[in-house]
Amino acid sequence: MIRLALSEGNFNINDVSLCFPIEIGILSKLFSVTKRKTKTKHNTIYTWDDLGILAYSKNGEAVESLLLELRKEDFAFSPERIFKGQFYFDNEEIINYYKNNKNKRIKLFDGDSSGALVLNDISVWFDSVDNNIEAIEITAFKGSTIKRIPEDKYVIKESSEELIVFSDFGFKLSVIQELMYNKELIQPKFDLFEFVLWYSKRDIDLEKEGYDPIPEVTQYFKDLPIPKKYASEITEIYQDGGNHVYRQLLRFNEGWEEYWDIESSEDAKQFPNLKKVVLCYAKENVVDELSNMGINSQWL
C-alpha cells in the first residue's frame, strides 16, 4: 500500500523523505508499477493506473505536483483505478477521517475556507464535495529544490580505526541494531527504501524481491566496519523480528526467518560489558554458551 505523509518535518512516500520537484526516476522506483506518459501543451503527465496517482512535470524529468484521484474521471490521462493508499497530514489519516466523519468538518480545515493547507513549502489542496474528498493535490511552492541522496552516502569507506572482526554474521547484526539504530553511534542509519533509490548498478524492485534477502543489502551489512572503540557500548542485545536491522534486510519480514540466526557465541568475548542477551534468531546451543560465559541469556 502506498503511504504519503506530510508533517512539520518531512514529506514522505513510503517512509522515504522527499522534496519537490521529485525526479521521475525516484517516483518510478518508489511506486514500482507501470506508468504511462501523456504530453500536453504545458505539462507532461505521468499516470500510475494501478495506484490512482497522477504526477505533473513541466520538463518531463521532475514532477512539481502529485494528484491522488479518489473519484473516477474520464480524461485520457486519468488513472483506471482510484487511490486506495493512505495520506497523512500532520499525523492525521485524512481519507479515512472523511469516510468515518462525514457530518463533521475536519479539524485541519478550521478557519480555512479554501481547503488549502501548507507545510514545508508544500501546499495540499483537498477537492471535496459535500464533505467527501474527491482528489488530493500535493504541490511544491516556487523555489523548492530537488532533494538528492548524496552519491557517497552508502559507499563504505576504508577505515583507519581498529575494527571488530566478527565470525558470526547474526551476532554482528545484533550489534549493528544497538550501535546504529538504538544508540545512533554508527552513521549513516541504513534505510532500505533510500538505499534502493541510491543504488545505481541495477534496479532493485522491492515489491518483487522483498520476500527474500536482497544480496546487495546483505553485503552492505557484511562489509560495514564496526570500530573497536564501540565494543564497550554493548551492554545488552535484544533480538526481535521487528528490530530495525531485520526490516532493512528483508522488506516483507515476518519474524520467523532463519537467515540471521546466531550460530556461535564466540563474538561475545569481544564485548566486555555485555551482561544480558534476549534471543529469537539463534541456534539452540547459543543461549547455554552465553550463560556459561556469565551473560544473562534467555529466549524471547
Side-chain angles (χ1 to χ4, degrees):
M1 176 184 288
I2 298 296
R3 182 183 187 274
L4 299 94
L6 179 62
S7 66
E8 194 68 42
N10 281 297
F11 172 58
N12 293 330
I13 299 178
N14 286 356
D15 297 322
V16 175
S17 180
L18 299 166
C19 291
F20 284 101
I22 305 169
E23 293 175 283
I24 191 63
I26 289 178
L27 279 182
S28 296
K29 285 188 176 183
L30 282 172
F31 293 157
S32 69
V33 294
T34 303
K35 66 179 180 299
R36 56 189 172 92
K37 182 166 137 182
T38 305
K39 286 192 175 183
T40 67
K41 183 177 179 180
H42 300 292
N43 286 296
T44 298
I45 303 173
Y46 293 94
T47 304
W48 284 268
D49 285 301
D50 291 339
L51 302 180
I53 297 177
L54 298 171
Y56 293 85
S57 172
K58 292 178 181 176
N59 62 10
E61 297 177 359
V63 305
E64 293 82 24
S65 66
L66 295 171
L67 189 68
L68 314 180
E69 290 278 20
L70 301 174
R71 188 187 71 170
K72 197 79 164 56
E73 299 285 359
D74 296 322
F75 300 106
F77 51 78
S78 297
E80 294 176 0
R81 297 175 177 83
I82 63 171
F83 180 72
K84 293 289 188 180
Q86 297 175 318
F87 179 75
Y88 284 81
F89 183 91
D90 202 20
N91 297 318
E92 185 81 67
E93 209 292 295
I94 300 297
I95 298 170
N96 284 332
Y97 186 96
Y98 258 82
K99 289 178 180 177
N100 298 327
N101 298 273
K102 289 186 177 181
N103 295 322
K104 297 180 181 179
R105 186 171 177 79
I106 192 167
K107 64 181 181 181
L108 297 173
F109 285 177
D110 285 350
D112 180 8
S113 60
S114 66
L117 301 169
V118 178
L119 276 178
N120 309 328
D121 294 334
I122 295 174
S123 67
V124 182
W125 180 272
F126 298 90
D127 183 4
S128 60
V129 176
D130 296 329
N131 217 29
N132 290 312
I133 301 178
E134 297 191 346
I136 300 174
E137 184 177 2
I138 309 161
T139 307
F141 279 167
K142 291 181 180 179
S144 293
T145 57
I146 296 174
K147 179 176 181 178
R148 298 182 185 276
I149 302 169
E151 291 183 3
D152 64 345
K153 182 161 187 178
Y154 292 107
V155 174
I156 294 179
K157 304 174 180 67
E158 289 189 20
S159 175
S160 59
E161 298 184 83
E162 191 175 3
L163 303 176
I164 299 172
V165 178
F166 290 87
S167 61
D168 189 289
F169 182 51
F171 199 97
K172 181 180 183 181
L173 290 176
S174 295
V175 169
I176 290 173
Q177 172 66 34
E178 288 296 312
L179 295 178
M180 179 181 288
Y181 295 102
N182 295 353
K183 298 193 173 185
E184 300 184 346
L185 292 171
I186 295 178
Q187 298 293 332
K189 189 182 291 185
F190 187 94
D191 181 277
L192 175 60
F193 293 99
E194 188 178 61
F195 179 85
V196 167
L197 296 177
W198 170 86
Y199 194 76
S200 60
K201 293 182 181 179
R202 73 175 182 93
D203 287 335
I204 299 174
D205 187 337
L206 281 181
E207 296 305 309
K208 292 181 180 179
E209 301 179 50
Y211 295 92
D212 296 295
I214 294 169
E216 293 87 348
V217 174
T218 300
Q219 194 62 49
Y220 178 89
F221 284 104
K222 285 184 175 181
D223 294 341
L224 186 69
I226 309 296
K228 208 168 221 180
K229 65 183 180 184
Y230 293 136
S232 61
E233 296 285 343
I234 303 298
T235 60
E236 180 179 356
I237 283 175
Y238 188 94
Q239 285 187 332
D240 184 279
N243 283 359
H244 289 290
V245 69
Y246 302 128
R247 297 209 308 269
Q248 310 311 310
L249 283 155
L250 189 63
R251 168 72 177 91
F252 300 111
N253 172 27
E254 296 184 23
W256 50 260
E257 295 81 8
E258 299 180 350
Y259 301 118
W260 312 292
D261 278 3
I262 297 175
E263 299 183 0
S264 167
S265 61
E266 188 66 24
D267 286 328
K269 297 175 182 178
Q270 304 187 77
F271 301 92
N273 296 331
L274 180 59
K275 304 300 181 185
K276 182 178 180 181
V277 173
V278 177
L279 300 175
C280 68
Y281 288 123
K283 300 303 182 187
E284 292 293 332
N285 57 291
V286 174
V287 167
D288 290 339
E289 290 177 3
L290 290 171
S291 295
N292 291 336
M293 294 167 64
I295 298 170
N296 181 359
S297 306
Q298 58 185 292
W299 293 105
L300 181 66

